[in-house]
Amino acid sequence: MALNKKQLKKYIKERIWKLQNANKPKVFGIGNNKTGTTSLKNAMQDLGFKVGKQRPAERMHHDWAKRDFEPIVEFCKTAEFFQDIPFSKPFTFIALDQAYPNSKFILTVRDNPEQWYNSLTKFHTKLWGKEGKMPTKEDLKEATYIYKGWAWEMSRYDYETPENEPYNKEILIQSYIDYNRQVKDYFRYRQNDLLILNVSKPTAYQDLCEFLGVKSDKKDFPWANKTADLKKRK
């Protein structure tokens, strides 16, 4: 299909950027969903980093599930900063660390695991639950985000919860604890490459800037209502 002048200009610009920047160090937000990842993304944009497109990245969750990291590594040539699925999933950070030496990794966290669980379930309930209840297997199969059934597929990929209880509290909280422990253990002798960040802390924004070696006149994170954003994109 022929490109119009505007599309061609955009294509050429993106190709030039890719050729010039593909091998530069990257920054990866590898914290679980609902740990301030959208606020981190907005901050990175404000700081001048080119942020990877999220929808194409989410579609690569299938590649992650097969532990096929080649498409993910290739996708990372398109920008400077990436976050959320599949970057927030186990093993991805290891593959990216090997593929992009000298990169920086940011593990966003909540005050405690239960706070994360409550945020995640509240978020999913607003998106896909019925009558204020947490989504069931049937609800997730009917959800139309990305495509119909994507939410259920991701639930099966991500969590070893019973089909009749996809949001089992004990299992989900343990997955959050285990993942954060894996990240910290992997970087235990390379603390300059990993920032553990709680965006609700008063010094969080300054900590981020110091970690990245950049300066900003701002002092706080730009907040975002991700639930509302997702509803608009459905």
Side-chain angles (χ1 to χ4, degrees), residues 82-95:
F82 303 86
Q83 53 88 42
D84 224 315
I85 294 172
F87 306 100
S88 58
K89 295 301 164 188
F91 311 113
T92 305
F93 65 91
I94 299 175

Side-chain angles (χ1 to χ4, degrees), residues 190-205:
R190 297 165 48 199
Q191 296 182 4
N192 290 335
D193 295 336
L194 175 69
L195 173 66
I196 300 172
L197 186 71
N198 184 332
V199 299
S200 69
K201 299 300 183 183
T203 63
Y205 194 80

